[in-house]
Amino acid sequence: PAELGNYTWIDDNVNGQQDPGEQPLPGVTVVLSGTTGSGEPVNQTQLTDANGEYLFDNLQPGTYKVTFQTPSGDYSSTQVNAGPDATDSDADPAMGGMTGDYVLESGDSDLTVDAGYWEPATIGNFVWEDLNGNGIQEPGEPGVQGVEVTLTGTDAFGNPVTVVTTTDV
């Protein structure tokens, strides 16, 4: 029999590669679909374990695809095929988390089918009237509504970012 599997993780720097210190992502639904060499359809589902790992084993030779369903929460798929196959993300966000085809022969073991996800960051806080002018936010100093705040910088892909918001009540 053949086998296909591997790993899901949180891609902290959104580079599409598994880097030291990045954590596994358990509980991701992984769907194997395809056909055996004799034309039988295959459709199996698993959840990644506590280590972010999954394995479809005892497979007949055939052609398979893996679809990673984006986990609940505010996750997004990372870059696809961004480096060495053993450590990159293969889940294509443009294809709903599906990979390309994997053709398995008798006895093959492909443990390079991975998916990376990232969570958006949040930045913000409070604009207040510094009644005593000491630069420290103290109890009783009121918030200031209607102040325009601009965030600038670059994202993990090197794209320029400019986001403007206004303080609320």
Side-chain angles (χ1 to χ4, degrees):
E3 62 183 7
L4 188 67
N6 214 32
Y7 186 64
T8 58
W9 83 100
I10 299 175
D11 189 10
D12 290 329
N13 60 0
V14 196
N15 69 351
Q17 285 289 305
Q18 300 167 37
D19 296 310
E22 292 180 330
Q23 299 298 308
L25 185 57
V28 176
T29 301
V30 184
V31 178
L32 176 74
S33 59
T35 56
T36 66
S38 60
E40 297 172 47
V42 174
N43 191 354
Q44 299 179 24
T45 302
Q46 290 189 11
L47 288 177
T48 58
D49 66 15
N51 298 315
E53 297 175 335
Y54 73 96
L55 178 67
F56 294 103
D57 57 1
N58 294 314
L59 298 174
Q60 293 183 31
T63 302
Y64 300 96
K65 291 182 186 232
V66 175
T67 302
F68 297 90
Q69 296 178 356
T70 302
S72 62
D74 203 10
Y75 291 99
S76 295
S77 295
T78 192
Q79 298 182 61
V80 64
N81 299 322
D85 194 40
T87 58
D88 74 348
S89 183
D90 302 296
D92 190 342
M95 299 290 293
M98 184 181 290
T99 68
D101 288 336
Y102 293 89
V103 178
L104 299 177
E105 301 294 331
S106 182
D108 281 353
S109 176
D110 189 338
L111 303 180
T112 65
V113 186
D114 308 313
Y117 294 92
W118 60 276
E119 296 178 280
T122 302
I123 189 169
N125 204 346
F126 189 64
V127 176
W128 80 97
E129 183 179 353
D130 190 4
L131 297 174
N132 60 6
N134 68 355
I136 298 171
Q137 180 183 338
E138 296 171 320
E141 294 183 323
V144 180
Q145 179 181 359
V147 175
E148 185 174 280
V149 180
T150 303
L151 171 71
T152 60
T154 56
D155 66 16
F157 304 107
N159 300 314
V161 173
T162 300
V163 180
V164 178
T165 191
T166 304
T167 60
D168 63 16
V169 294

